[in-house]
C-alpha cells in the first residue's frame, strides 16, 4: 500500500511492465460500481483517482524521460469491487501497443516474473508516495502513509 486516501487505498500494482502502474481500491466493502456509492463518496473516489493519477504522472515523469502520460480506467470486468487503474505510458513501449489499451499487451506481461513488483521498484514507489503527500498537502489534507 502506498497511502490511505480519503475514499480508498492507493497501491502499487503487482505487475510493473509499465513502471509506476498503480491502483485505487475503494474503502467501502461490497461496492462493485461507482454508482453504488452515494454522490459525495463518488466524488471523493474520483478525486482520489485524479490525485493518484497526477502523483503517478509526476513521479514517472521525474524518473523516466520517455514518460508520455497516464491513462485512468474504472473497468470492473474481472474483479467485483470498485477500483481504478492508473497506467503510466512511455515512448519506449512497442510501436504496435503505444497507442492502444494496456489490456492488449501479451498475456505474459501480467504474469512474467521479470515484471513482478520488487525492490527495484522502490524508487518509483517512493516517488509516487512522496508526490501523493505533496498533492494532498496542497489540497489541505494529509493521508496516512501506508508503507
Amino acid at each position: 500500500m502506498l497511502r490511505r486516501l480519503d475514499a480508498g487505498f492507493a497501491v502499487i500494482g503487482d505487475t510493473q511492465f509499465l513502471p509506476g502502474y498503480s491502483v485505487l481500491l475503494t474503502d467501502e466493502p461490497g461496492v462493485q460500481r461507482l454508482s453504488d456509492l452515494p454522490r459525495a463518496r463518488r466524488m471523493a473516489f474520483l478525486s482520489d483517482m485524479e490525485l493518484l493519477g497526477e502523483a503517478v504522472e509526476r513521479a514517472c515523469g521525474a524518473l523516466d524521460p520517455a514518460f508520455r502520460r497516464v491513462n485512468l480506467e474504472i473497468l470492473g470486468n474481472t474483479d467485483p469491487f470498485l477500483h481504478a487503474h492508473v497506467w503510466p505510458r512511455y515512448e519506449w513501449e512497442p510501436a504496435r501497443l503505444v497507442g492502444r489499451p494496456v489490456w492488449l499487451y501479451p498475456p505474459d506481461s501480467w504474469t512474467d516474473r521479470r515484471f513482478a513488483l520488487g525492490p527495484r521498484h522502490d524508487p518509483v514507489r517512493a516517488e509516487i508516495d512522496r508526490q501523493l503527500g505533496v498533492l494532498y498537502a496542497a489540497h489541505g489534507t494529509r493521508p496516512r502513509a501506508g508503507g
Side-chain angles (χ1 to χ4, degrees):
M1 184 171 92
L2 295 166
R3 285 188 182 241
R4 170 75 164 92
L5 304 179
D6 291 337
F9 304 93
V11 300
I12 193 156
D14 293 346
T15 187
Q16 290 290 306
F17 62 91
L18 295 171
Y21 165 58
S22 299
V23 180
L24 175 64
L25 306 169
T26 185
D27 64 359
E28 298 269 348
V31 169
Q32 294 186 21
R33 297 170 203 78
L34 187 63
S35 60
D36 290 343
L37 294 172
R39 181 156 297 287
R41 294 296 292 164
R42 288 181 204 179
M43 296 298 104
F45 186 84
L46 291 172
S47 179
D48 283 352
M49 181 180 73
E50 179 271 326
L51 286 171
L52 178 56
E54 186 173 350
V56 169
E57 181 177 303
R58 289 178 173 199
C60 294
L63 296 171
D64 188 335
F67 170 77
R68 291 180 49 234
R69 62 178 302 116
V70 294
N71 293 156
L72 305 171
E73 301 176 312
I74 298 175
L75 301 171
N77 298 325
T78 303
D79 297 317
F81 56 89
L82 177 61
H83 60 286
H85 301 272
V86 179
W87 290 104
R89 302 304 300 263
Y90 298 93
E91 293 294 337
W92 48 255
E93 292 179 61
R96 71 184 190 292
L97 295 170
V98 73
R100 311 288 306 269
V102 296
W103 309 105
L104 297 178
Y105 266 79
D108 69 331
S109 300
W110 309 92
T111 58
D112 191 318
R113 292 180 146 226
R114 64 192 162 120
F115 300 125
L117 179 65
R120 71 186 178 285
H121 300 106
D122 287 350
V124 72
R125 178 190 301 198
E127 186 60 17
I128 293 168
D129 184 58
R130 189 181 81 75
Q131 291 294 341
L132 279 170
V134 168
L135 290 166
Y136 266 91
H139 288 76
T141 59
R142 289 187 176 270
R144 297 180 297 274

